[in-house]
Amino acid sequence: MDVSIEPVNRETLPLLDDGLRALARHMDDPFSATLDGLDAALFSDRPSCHALVARRKGAQKPLGIALYSPVFSTVRGGAGIYVSDLWVDDVARGRNLGRRLVAEVVRHGSDIWGAGFLRLAAYNDNHDALAAYARMGFERVEGEIPLRLAGSAFERIAAM
C-alpha cells in the first residue's frame, strides 16, 4: 500500500478532523473538537499538540492519524510523548500503518523534545488495539488508574 505520512498543515487539517471523527464514531465516543480549535492547538504561537496524517498520495481521505503532545516524567527523568488519538481506517488495518504512525511520532518527539518514552491509553474492551500495541512492545502500566479533572470540577479548581 503506497501511503505517505506527513505532518498536518492547514491544508490537511480537514483530513485530521475526518480521522478524529472516524475514531470517535468507531469508539462510540462524543466528539467536541472543532476545526478552529484544532487549528489553534496545532498552529498557534505556542502549539499544544502536533499531528500526522497518513493517506495515499493526493487522496482527500485519511487512512490514519496521530495526535500527540509532550509530557514530562520525574519517574523517567525526562520528556516523553502522549498520544491522545491514534486511528487507522479499516481498509488499512493489518498493514503496519499504525506501527508506522507510532514510529513517526517517536522520531518527531525525540527530535523536538528529546523524548525517551511514549504513553497512550486504550479502552479495556478494545482487544484489537491492545493486541496491536502489545505486538509493538507497549506494556500495561500496572498500579496506575487514569484520572481526569474536567467540567465544573476543573473550573472550580481554576477559580481557587
Side-chain angles (χ1 to χ4, degrees):
M1 181 177 271
D2 185 28
V3 176
S4 66
I5 297 174
E6 58 200 52
V8 170
N9 57 40
R10 284 199 163 104
E11 180 182 315
T12 58
L13 186 61
L15 298 178
L16 173 65
D17 184 65
D18 289 348
L20 291 169
R21 288 176 186 279
L23 174 61
R25 281 191 304 274
H26 179 80
M27 300 309 298
D28 199 26
D29 281 345
F31 187 81
S32 301
T34 64
L35 279 172
D36 288 341
L38 290 169
D39 185 278
L42 291 162
F43 307 118
S44 69
D45 291 339
R46 292 190 291 177
S48 59
C49 60
H50 293 266
L52 300 171
V53 64
R55 64 180 170 156
R56 288 191 177 99
K57 187 172 182 163
Q60 293 304 310
K61 181 177 186 276
L63 290 175
I65 58 96
L67 185 69
Y68 55 100
S69 307
V71 296
F72 187 87
S73 170
T74 57
V75 171
R76 296 211 168 259
I81 308 159
Y82 179 72
V83 175
S84 57
D85 297 282
L86 180 65
W87 169 79
V88 174
D89 190 278
D90 288 340
V91 301
R93 289 198 181 151
R95 298 176 186 213
N96 286 322
L97 183 55
R99 183 182 297 261
R100 288 180 55 205
L101 282 161
V102 168
E104 190 58 35
V105 167
V106 166
R107 281 190 290 274
H108 188 237
S110 296
D111 287 347
I112 64 173
W113 302 308
F117 67 95
L118 185 145
R119 289 185 69 126
L120 53 73
Y123 289 126
N124 291 333
D125 61 352
N126 192 346
H127 303 291
D128 291 340
L130 290 169
Y133 296 140
R135 285 190 300 274
M136 282 186 233
F138 282 85
E139 302 168 339
R140 291 180 186 240
V141 181
E142 298 298 328
E144 288 190 11
I145 298 173
L147 302 171
R148 164 181 51 228
L149 184 68
S152 61
F154 183 88
E155 292 168 9
R156 273 195 314 276
I157 293 293
M160 292 180 90

